[in-house]
Amino acid sequence: MGIMSDAEKAGIASATTDKTDSHNPRTEKPALPEQVRVRFCPSPTGIPHVGMVRTALFNWAEARHTGGTLVFRIEDTDAQRDSEESFNQIIEALNWLGIDWDEGINVGGPDAPYRQSERGEIYQKVAQQLLDAGYAYESFSTPEETAARNVAAGRPKEFGYDGYDRTLTEEQKQAFRDEGRKPAIRIKMPDEDIAFDDLIRGRIEFKAGSVPDYVIVRPNGDPLYTLTNPVDDALMNINVVLRGEDLLSSTPRQIVLYRYLMELGVAKEMPLFGHMPYVMGQGNKKLSKRDPESNLFLHRDHGFIKEGLLNYLALLGWSISPDNDIFSMEEMIKAFDVRDVKANPARFDIDKATAINAEHIRMLEPQDFLNRSVPYLHRDGVVSADSWDALTDREREVLTAAAPLVQPRVRLLGEVAGMVGSLLSDEEYLAPEKDAKKQLKATAGEVLDSAIATLEALPEEQWLTDTLHETLTKMLVEEGGYKPRLAFGPIRVAMSGRRVSPPLFESMEIIGKPVSIARLKNLRAHLDEIQAA
């Protein structure tokens, strides 16, 4: 989009919204069309980020709620920044999240092609129509010349384009061509206020003169977003444009261009606009593509499931009800209305996102939980294969037994390996992690000696959860007088090497008597060295 001029900034500053009185006719949000047509049109310029996905989600939810149509196209006219890798990642992200579309990329439809890089002839034709009708004109001014004219007129040099080329004669244009200059094409902005009723923000007005004549085609012939985006929306009959607040400054340009396109018969109607709030990151700064919490695939790598992540992203500007943050996508579709989205910036809170993800993990069927966990377990070297069916019988047996112990306790699928690794391992000594060592108090040696003596005498057929619980509680708590934390802490560390693990006695049953006894003995053997460190 480029850097906004001072004039444009002034226009945005003077753009007014007043949502304090919902009955004020200036703030009434417009009714939606009978047949809603929305679009998702990202640029393939990097790894998919949460702001992009939130835009896709809200468009998808609006289309599904209204029984409308979602068109998915790609805006890839920036050859220097666009990449096929990013294009494929966007497709991968949408497929993973289950956000589907009705027309567009890989689906087809009546308005193909759906990649802007394949629609160049269309843009050339429309640009020529705009020139022929007098809605656009050739502009030969360089940025340096524009800045010099601004300074000469007593304006800041960054003030923006001054309309100089509007009145060039054919002789002046030819003189520039004789110098070897090639013109850009600019749209003529009218000398009047531009207002529209935003679906989210209510009435917004831009003062006359706040938006200068803008470029739609570069001197080298490349069309800009300012042309391609509205033209595609017009030709694809998009009647509801839902996009980020960062594009609000381009809306008066698009409204004016739409008026011209309607006059030319290219567009049938003016779409409704809704500008979704910024997603803020740490320190109340706008979340950048470069911020780690913005990276969609990083969240997936950590173990977010699609249900949890989509649920949280839906809360970035919208809520299903005042007292309910946990909902399914089916429930969202039933309730969603873009006019209920709040205009205030939404802050991405990774802790809340993780907590919501944990709720959705707990709602999974146990086998579904295991199926989704296996790729993470394989990635972390805990199991032998990346799919449930390819695991060994022993791995499936242990994981099936562990699922009810682990599923309620993990927040992310990436945490499952740390919880089940000790159950799957046949190692007879698990070196304690740093925070686990703090559980080994001065009484740890006595506790381990008593536990070893007691458990060695327990017949293997009685090596069951309830028996282990009763036996160790009686020996260590009731007769030994140890508090449960001091009694069971060293045993937990011996079994898992971790401070946090699945329930102790269930874990011991899964691990079995031989390995459990060996781990207790080996921790006891290393205890002096651990405590001395």
Side-chain angles (χ1 to χ4, degrees):
M1 291 300 297
I3 299 173
M4 283 187 291
S5 68
D6 289 345
E8 288 177 288
K9 293 175 183 175
I12 293 176
S14 65
T16 60
T17 60
D18 180 6
K19 294 176 283 298
T20 57
D21 182 358
S22 61
H23 300 291
N24 184 336
R26 294 183 73 254
T27 67
E28 285 295 325
K29 296 175 183 177
L32 294 172
E34 187 173 334
Q35 292 294 324
V36 167
R37 285 181 64 84
V38 293
R39 80 319 193 249
F40 175 54
C41 49
S43 297
T45 57
I47 295 173
H49 56 88
V50 297
M52 173 193 292
V53 174
R54 198 270 307 263
T55 297
L57 173 62
F58 281 14
N59 276 282
W60 175 79
E62 190 64 48
R64 297 296 170 258
H65 174 75
T66 60
T69 300
L70 173 60
V71 179
F72 172 37
R73 66 175 191 256
I74 289 289
E75 301 197 336
D76 59 345
T77 54
D78 189 339
Q80 291 185 335
R81 298 177 63 222
D82 297 334
S83 74
E84 197 67 14
E85 179 184 16
S86 178
F87 168 78
N88 291 328
Q89 288 174 336
I90 293 171
I91 303 295
E92 179 186 348
L94 296 177
N95 288 338
W96 172 57
L97 293 168
I99 296 177
D100 59 351
W101 53 96
D102 306 294
E103 298 175 14
I105 300 295
N106 295 345
V107 171
D111 302 306
Y114 292 95
R115 295 184 69 158
Q116 286 186 344
S117 58
E118 299 172 3
R119 296 171 63 83
E121 292 183 5
I122 295 172
Y123 308 133
Q124 290 176 10
K125 179 180 177 182
V126 174
Q128 190 62 51
Q129 288 178 275
L130 291 164
L131 280 172
D132 293 343
Y135 298 135
Y137 60 93
E138 293 179 321
S139 173
F140 293 85
S141 293
T142 66
E144 293 76 17
E145 289 169 340
T146 299
R149 289 196 299 266
N150 284 332
V151 171
R155 299 186 297 261
K157 66 178 182 179
E158 300 87 0
F159 195 75
Y161 180 68
D162 57 355
Y164 174 83
D165 300 78
R166 271 195 184 205
T167 57
L168 291 178
T169 65
E170 287 303 319
E171 290 76 12
Q172 289 172 311
K173 293 178 185 177
Q174 187 58 50
F176 282 128
R177 288 193 178 92
D178 291 343
E179 292 178 15
R181 295 198 195 190
K182 293 182 179 180
I185 299 176
R186 290 183 183 271
I187 288 291
K188 288 182 180 176
M189 291 296 290
D191 187 20
E192 62 187 48
D193 294 349
I194 299 169
F196 70 100
D197 294 311
D198 192 280
L199 288 165
I200 295 170
R201 298 164 189 279
R203 188 71 168 176
I204 297 180
E205 297 176 358
F206 289 81
K207 296 302 181 184
S210 64
V211 182
D213 295 350
Y214 63 92
V215 175
I216 58 171
V217 179
R218 290 191 176 99
N220 66 1
D222 289 344
L224 291 174
Y225 167 90
T226 47
L227 176 67
T228 60
N229 181 274
V231 167
D232 284 348
D233 284 346
L235 294 176
M236 297 176 188
N237 297 309
I238 302 302
N239 53 24
V240 177
V241 173
L242 306 179
R243 57 190 189 175
E245 182 181 353
D246 54 317
L247 295 173
L248 181 58
S249 65
S250 72
T251 306
R253 306 176 185 184
Q254 297 205 349
I255 288 173
V256 168
L257 180 54
Y258 247 96
R259 292 174 185 170
Y260 298 157
L261 294 177
M262 290 166 69
E263 290 290 333
L264 294 172
V266 175
K268 294 179 181 178
E269 60 183 323
M270 181 76 67
L272 299 173
F273 292 89
H275 291 88
M276 294 174 279
Y278 283 123
V279 178
M280 311 301 284
Q282 299 297 323
N284 286 327
K285 294 181 180 179
K286 183 174 178 285
L287 193 63
S288 164
K289 288 183 179 182
R290 291 172 292 278
D291 293 330
E293 62 263 43
S294 178
N295 185 325
L296 178 75
F297 291 148
L298 190 60
H299 293 306
R300 185 178 65 176
D301 290 345
H302 287 163
F304 273 87
I305 61 174
K306 62 181 181 180
E307 294 89 343
L309 189 56
L310 287 173
N311 183 165
Y312 181 69
L313 293 180
L315 295 172
L316 297 178
W318 180 80
S319 62
I320 196 166
S321 67
D323 57 353
N324 180 21
D325 281 346
I326 308 298
F327 48 85
S328 68
M329 288 301 97
E330 290 76 14
E331 291 169 319
M332 180 184 181
I333 288 170
K334 186 176 180 180
F336 188 80
D337 185 329
V338 71
R339 293 168 295 185
D340 295 331
V341 173
K342 298 175 181 65
N344 296 331
R347 190 172 76 86
F348 189 92
D349 183 338
I350 189 63
D351 292 332
K352 183 173 182 179
T354 303
I356 286 174
N357 194 70
E359 292 290 338
H360 281 278
I361 285 179
R362 286 192 276 274
M363 289 190 282
L364 295 177
E365 291 295 324
Q367 189 58 54
D368 189 16
F369 166 72
L370 289 173
N371 291 343
R372 298 197 200 195
S373 297
V374 169
Y376 293 89
L377 298 176
H378 184 254
R379 177 195 70 183
D380 295 339
V382 174
V383 295
S384 60
D386 63 359
S387 68
W388 177 259
D389 290 340
L391 298 180
T392 66
D393 291 343
R394 169 62 179 164
E395 288 170 335
R396 287 198 294 268
E397 178 186 344
V398 170
L399 290 175
T400 300
L405 314 179
V406 173
Q407 188 174 353
R409 289 171 171 80
V410 296
R411 304 167 304 160
L412 303 163
L413 294 183
E415 297 173 349
V416 177
M419 297 288 274
V420 303
S422 61
L423 306 180
L424 288 159
S425 172
D426 57 5
E427 293 290 329
E428 295 188 348
Y429 175 61
L430 300 176
E433 296 179 357
K434 185 176 181 180
D435 61 346
K437 293 177 182 179
K438 297 177 182 177
Q439 307 299 306
L440 302 175
K441 307 299 183 183
T443 55
E446 304 165 9
V447 166
L448 289 170
D449 288 338
S450 296
I452 292 167
T454 302
L455 293 175
E456 280 193 314
L458 188 67
E460 194 153 352
E461 63 271 14
Q462 295 182 29
W463 195 267
L464 303 171
T465 296
D466 290 343
T467 307
L468 291 165
H469 189 182
E470 292 169 7
T471 301
L472 288 173
T473 299
K474 179 180 180 182
M475 172 61 64
L476 297 173
V477 178
E478 296 172 6
E479 297 179 6
Y482 298 103
K483 293 180 179 179
R485 178 173 57 85
L486 296 175
F488 303 133
I491 301 174
R492 182 184 304 280
V493 173
M495 293 302 109
S496 67
R498 294 163 51 91
R499 182 180 65 84
V500 178
S501 68
L504 175 60
F505 307 110
E506 289 87 340
S507 297
M508 293 177 71
E509 179 179 339
I510 293 171
I511 293 168
K513 180 176 180 179
V515 174
S516 294
I517 295 294
R519 288 182 183 177
L520 290 168
K521 289 182 175 180
N522 280 310
L523 179 60
R524 182 66 181 94
H526 289 83
L527 189 60
D528 290 344
E529 143 193 359
I530 293 169
Q531 291 178 327

